[in-house]
Amino acid sequence: MNIRKGCRLVLLMLIISLVLIGCSADKTQTLNSSLSPSAEPQKASAPSKNPFETDGENQVILGRMSHRFANPKLDQRGQRAPMAYNGGEMKIDYQVAASGKANNVGFLIFINGQPQPYKFNSTETPYEYMHIFEVPDDDENYTPFTFVFTPITGKKGDQLSINIISVYNPGFTPDMKETSSYGGYQTTLQLDGIISFNTDPKPLDDPSIMKQEVLSDVRQTTEPITRELLEKASGFEKVDLNALDKKVYNELQIDGDVRMDNYSIEGKDKVHVTFKLFGHPGVQYRSTFYINHQAISAKKVSFETKLTKGNVSVIEADIEVEKLEDFNTFYVVSAPLNANDFPDDVIILDKTASVLLYKGKE
């Protein structure tokens, strides 16, 4: 799923179309998505309920969200200037506003495509890859907060991209009773910046960082594009070879099949996942696997790949079930490394749909 790239204030009106087919759609200021065949729309008053509330015959209005840098420094052209890293823990003042069901929010940060753990508001809070919090139901007044972190990459003289990604209602998890689908929840909205390194950061080795070594037997390969894959990627619009020259698509298989909503891992020792990324030739990505919004790893946290014409980038791995909880939100995020090499194209972060891995019978 794609969102338009931009460095100005980003604003998202979440409008979910209740169409009983699996699909994806471009994310601009209006988001169009769909229900899967297993989801049943009903009114929801709390995050533990089904996330859909109908408004009219075939639409769901969930809410509005926007976020931005607070008081950014501008250059001589009036553009946002790079943020300077001068050593120690870096602080980025930020703001978020939301209304409706959009007021539960979490943020992911990537520096040069690598997932960046951070502290929330204070140096005393623990490092995590995502902090989840509630925003007052008011889309006119912004709530201020601060990201605090030591960059995990970069050296003196570097200018590296930073991607700040909001995840819509990350606190929601299907309970397999009221609902089995994430529906339109856990979509992303991206804002980009640049960090200018005036010194080398010290290695970040904080015991509070969650290091979930859940993956094993990771393999990276490429395979040719097939007609079947293009057909599965098609939704409201047909995906053909011409579309792959400008857009990026993903497919996530769990134990050999595409799982749109949930998958029982009861009685299993391992779950085999296959992540496919394909499309715009020449774009480089780093892909990170997440369980419950925290990066999981094998010997490394993220996996780099470069898309090539006519081919699919494939990452396969096993997830150790004994290390999982009873209910687990699973997804893959791919952050671009060389978006600036394609100034005329929309090159942004790619996130798979969230899938529930749960212990219990289907």
Side-chain angles (χ1 to χ4, degrees), residues 10 28 80 142 315 360:
V10 283
T28 59
R80 184 154 29 83
Y142 281 83
I315 304 174

Side-chain angles (χ1 to χ4, degrees), residues 105-274:
V105 64
F107 286 90
L108 299 173
I109 298 178
F110 298 87
I111 297 180
N112 197 34
Q114 297 189 41
Q116 172 67 58
Y118 63 93
K119 300 176 180 181
F120 182 72
N121 271 342
S122 168
T123 58
E124 303 303 317
T125 60
Y127 269 107
E128 293 186 24
Y129 287 99
M130 178 188 285
H131 290 265
I132 300 174
F133 59 101
E134 297 290 330
V135 181
D137 189 356
D138 181 357
D139 63 356
E140 295 183 359
N141 296 313
Y142 281 83
T143 298
F145 65 97
T146 303
F147 298 113
V148 182
F149 59 88
T150 298
I152 61 168
T153 187
K155 61 181 184 300
K156 184 177 180 179
D158 283 347
Q159 285 201 332
L160 300 182
S161 64
I162 177 171
N163 310 123
I164 298 178
I165 314 298
S166 65
V167 176
Y168 166 65
N169 201 355
F172 174 79
T173 303
D175 59 9
M176 298 305 296
K177 294 179 181 178
E178 296 289 341
T179 181
S180 61
S181 170
Y182 289 88
Y185 286 168
Q186 303 196 1
T187 53
T188 59
L189 192 62
Q190 173 177 339
L191 190 59
D192 302 332
I194 297 292
I195 297 179
S196 181
F197 287 79
N198 296 326
T199 187
D200 295 340
K202 294 182 179 180
L204 181 58
D205 186 19
D206 190 296
S208 70
I209 299 175
M210 299 181 67
K211 297 179 180 179
Q212 302 186 81
E213 293 191 5
V214 178
L215 296 177
S216 63
D217 197 18
V218 179
R219 302 179 297 282
Q220 291 186 252
T221 59
T222 58
E223 60 184 37
I225 292 283
T226 63
R227 182 178 299 275
E228 179 186 9
L229 186 62
L230 294 178
E231 291 176 350
K232 287 194 293 183
S234 298
F236 287 123
E237 61 178 354
K238 181 179 180 181
V239 177
D240 55 20
L241 292 176
N242 291 329
L244 300 187
D245 287 338
K246 293 295 182 180
K247 295 184 179 181
V248 175
Y249 301 86
N250 69 60
E251 181 183 271
L252 180 60
Q253 296 182 7
I254 302 175
D255 280 345
D257 291 311
V258 175
R259 315 285 179 176
M260 298 300 297
D261 299 313
N262 59 73
Y263 182 61
S264 175
I265 56 176
E266 179 72 23
K268 299 179 182 294
D269 295 325
K270 296 181 180 180
V271 173
H272 187 74
V273 294
T274 303

Side-chain angles (χ1 to χ4, degrees), residues 7-8 72-82:
C7 293
R8 61 183 183 274
K73 293 183 179 179
L74 304 180
D75 60 20
Q76 294 179 344
R77 298 174 299 170
Q79 302 296 317
R80 184 154 29 83

